[in-house]
Structure formats: structure tokens, C-alpha cells
């Protein structure tokens, strides 16, 4: 079984992943309310991936004989001014998630918890992809600037994202 401090940190990460899902659902709803259905679909896929991440942490705790302890999930913001501000927040949020995963890995290394290190490596790799995808989309939105036509084109492109 992992040490108590690792189980606590893994439980906190379930909460953080569920918050990420909440955040992206809220962003998706906001994009849909602006009639950007492609960005809304992209964010909806992202929200569902976060639920899958929470589930991975849940299963890891169970598989290792730890106790899952669930707390309240913070409410996310519900309004953003624009698609650009939504994706600025997505990019910033993913950088924060990466920092959290790295702190968890540091703790697992310190505790010589090899099973948790092996488990977390998937998330270390996943965060490289998550940061790259969100920052690439943000850069394209910034390049477009005030051109509504180009933003609608990008909305259509973003809507092609498939669930993994
Ligand atoms: Fe669960 Fe977006 O990282």
C-alpha cells in the first residue's frame, strides 16, 4: 500500500481532475452559448478525458489497497468574454496541472514508491500532449485576431476532435 501522504496526494488529484472536468464542461457550455459549436465540442471531449483521468487515479488507489476519500468539487467560473479568453484559461490550467503531476512524481520518488512512479509516468507524457494541443490552439486563435470568418473556420476545425 502507498504511504499515507501519497494516498492523500492521489485523492487530492482525483478532486483536481474532477475540477478540470467541471471547468471544461463550463467552458464548453459557454462556447455553445456563443454559437461556437466546434470549440464547444473540443472542450466537451476535453471534459470527458478529465473524467477518465480521475478514474485512473481512483483505480490506482483501489488497486494498491488504499482508501478513496472524495471531497467537494469547487465550482468553476461560468462566463468568459470570448473564445480567446477561454483558451487562455485552458492553456494556463494545463500548465498548473503539469506542475501538480510533477509535484506528485517528486513525492513518489522521495517515498521510493515505484508503482506510483510507473503509474504517474503516463500522466507526465499526457501533459506534454495536453500542453502542446491547448497552446497550439491558443496561438492560432491569437493569430486570427478579430477576423470572425477565420475564427468560424477554426471553430469548424476544432469540432473535428475525436474522443480518444
Ligand atoms: Fe487531467 Fe488536462 O489533465
Amino acid at each position: 500500500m502507498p504511504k499515507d501522504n501519497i494516498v492523500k496526494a492521489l485523492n487530492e488529484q482525483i478532486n483536481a481532475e474532477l475540477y478540470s472536468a467541471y471547468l471544461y464542461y463550463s467552458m464548453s457550455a459557454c462556447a455553445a452559448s456563443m454559437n461556437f459549436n466546434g470549440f464547444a465540442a473540443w472542450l466537451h471531449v476535453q471534459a470527458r478525458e478529465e473524467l477518465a483521468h480521475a478514474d485512473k487515479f481512483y483505480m490506482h488507489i483501489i488497486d494498491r489497497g488504499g482508501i478513496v476519500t472524495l471531497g467537494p468539487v469547487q465550482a468553476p467560473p461560468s462566463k468568459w468574454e470570448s473564445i480567446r479568453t477561454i483558451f487562455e484559461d485552458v492553456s494556463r490550467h494545463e500548465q498548473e496541472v503539469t506542475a501538480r503531476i510533477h509535484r506528485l512524481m517528486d513525492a513518489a520518488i522521495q517515498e521510493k514508491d515505484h508503482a506510483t512512479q510507473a503509474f504517474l509516468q503516463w500522466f507526465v507524457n499526457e501533459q506534454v500532449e495536453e500542453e502542446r494541443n491547448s497552446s497550439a490552439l491558443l496561438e492560432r486563435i491569437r493569430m486570427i485576431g478579430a477576423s470572425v470568418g477565420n475564427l468560424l473556420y477554426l471553430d469548424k476545425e476544432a469540432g473535428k476532435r475525436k474522443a480518444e
Side-chain angles (χ1 to χ4, degrees):
M1 204 209 284
K3 293 229 173 99
D4 287 352
N5 61 328
I6 298 292
V7 173
K8 181 169 180 284
L10 291 168
N11 270 308
E12 285 168 359
Q13 193 59 28
I14 294 179
N15 190 280
E17 299 291 348
L18 291 175
Y19 176 75
S20 295
Y22 249 33
L23 179 65
Y24 294 136
Y25 275 131
S26 189
M27 288 172 166
S28 178
C30 182
S33 77
M34 296 174 192
N35 294 311
F36 285 111
N37 294 329
F39 292 122
W42 191 99
L43 289 157
H44 191 260
V45 170
Q46 187 76 17
R48 292 177 63 170
E49 281 192 7
E50 300 301 347
L51 294 178
H53 294 173
D55 192 64
K56 281 180 190 283
F57 279 96
Y58 169 90
M59 285 310 304
H60 180 73
I61 297 171
I62 299 281
D63 287 346
R64 302 281 311 283
I67 302 291
V68 168
T69 312
L70 300 175
V73 180
Q74 190 193 325
S78 56
K79 282 205 175 101
W80 285 262
E81 278 177 11
S82 61
I83 292 299
R84 185 173 61 80
T85 56
I86 288 177
F87 279 92
E88 282 170 352
D89 281 0
V90 171
S91 187
R92 193 176 310 120
H93 183 70
E94 286 304 327
Q95 288 170 28
E96 287 167 10
V97 173
T98 299
R100 285 189 67 95
I101 296 291
H102 290 182
R103 282 197 297 275
L104 246 173
M105 181 64 105
D106 289 344
I109 290 168
Q110 202 171 357
E111 296 295 351
K112 298 187 170 57
D113 183 339
H114 295 167
T116 296
Q117 288 173 47
F119 166 75
L120 287 172
Q121 190 58 51
W122 184 88
F123 284 91
V124 171
N125 298 339
E126 174 74 0
Q127 281 311 119
V128 172
E129 195 185 317
E130 297 239 323
E131 281 200 40
R132 186 183 59 222
N133 291 345
S134 57
S135 72
L137 198 45
L138 176 59
E139 280 316 305
R140 291 174 76 189
I141 291 165
R142 280 180 172 152
M143 276 188 320
I144 283 169
S147 165
V148 176
N150 286 343
L151 191 58
L152 286 171
Y153 173 78
L154 192 54
D155 178 61
K156 203 171 166 188
E157 287 296 299
K160 292 178 184 166
R161 179 180 180 184
K162 298 265 184 289
E164 284 173 13

